Amino acid sequence: MWYRVGDFSFWKRPGRYRIRIYFEDKTVESCPFVISSHRIASQTGPLAVRFFYIQRCGCEVPGWHSPCHLDDGRFPDGTHHDLSGGWHDAGDYNKYNGYTPLSVYALARFAGSEADRLGDEPPGFPSPLDEALWGAEWLKKCWNPDSNLLAGMVFSGYGYWGPPEEETDNIPGSGDDRPVLALGWNELELAAAAFAVLARKTGSSVWTDICRDMWETVLSQPAFDNDLNRGKRLLAAVEIHRLFEETESSSEAHSYASSLCDSQAADGSWNVWPMLDLGLVPAALAEFLRVFPSSSLKPEIQQSLEKFFLLWDTQRVAPFHIPKWDKDHIFYPYHPGEWYAGQNSMYLSLAWAGFCMENSLPHPLAQEAEIRAYGCLDWILGANPLEICMMEGAGTIHLARYHHRYESIDNGLYGHVPGAICNGYVRASPSSDTPFLDIAGNAWQTNEPWLPHNAYFLLALSEYERNSHRKKRIRKR
Ligand SMILES: [Zn+2]
């Protein structure tokens, strides 16, 4: 496969275009594309938010399904507690507090951002803030201040394939309520961060109070012994400080930031499984610098971000901007019989980090980080080996099928949820590190949409438009 990179960024005139290339007696024509200001934000932002709306559980989503799973859920001791609401997490109907907190955080951060204001959403759909509040209401139901735990998940497995409202009888306590189970970890940090942003943006004491409760619980428990958890604590501390502006949150944020600088490996990496959240730690450090621009940690953090970016740069899969999984593998090196899936959250979390770092790195690394971040969005939106736009409804060529139980809904859309971002490319087999996307079938490893992809997309988009807005202001001076 041959790739050629062409730079026609000098061409600014708005319009709809194709590129035609003559090469070795052949003519190759690109998909049509549009040049207009803020095209990415105006088109993809509303789609990314609408995906969450269509994933809603526990209410009618017109054109998709009637109220479903109103009888969630049954706890291990046999009691029933109302956990209706939230979002179907992926192409199944289970609901997890693995990535629901991140999703609420991302929607809340995106709400009111420059990218949100540019959104070209038709009337009739909830705003990003409304959608964040929908998710937050479910998180609130899941929070048990007596046990200091968030309910882990409402889980009915993967066996049912039909409209969601027909999976259970919707009557609480009648015997088919879905079970509530524990998760391997307790995602309080990002839930506290999400509540802090909502408290700031709504002014409601409901979110202020629960944010304080949850943050006190976080601080009363030891951090997990991994950098991802410390990164989440840093992000939460930064958001808590934005809300309360107290000395305690400042010193907590400084403590986590310092510890992340210390735990960074010599090659620039952190101890984070790259599959989903690779960009979270550098994004959190960049956020710290935004809130504490005069911190004594600034030189250390800038050096740390520079090391991380140089690692990304040396491991990138040219001519694309995504990095390899590690120095020896492009995609996740799964083994026969093991679980595996595409890495779009890894790339989108990096896009978020790259746009955030743009404000923290010296010239010219800052501009290079921004180019790499754009490149990760490009990968999702069509600049990939099969030229598939992996966000449904945004580009020209999409997957033929998604791995989604909404395929069984009789609305003529066959599970093509607008704004859904699929898992993405995997290696063709354990022994072959060549790119594979299921363009004919609906393999879940590549074609299933998961909440974190859209969450990281929204976080990236809010930073991307913040940067372009800032540059425009600088140019005007
Ligand atoms: Zn449901």
Side-chain angles (χ1 to χ4, degrees), residues 57-58 68-69 88 164 178:
C57 180
C68 57
H69 303 119
H88 301 137
R178 302 195 297 171

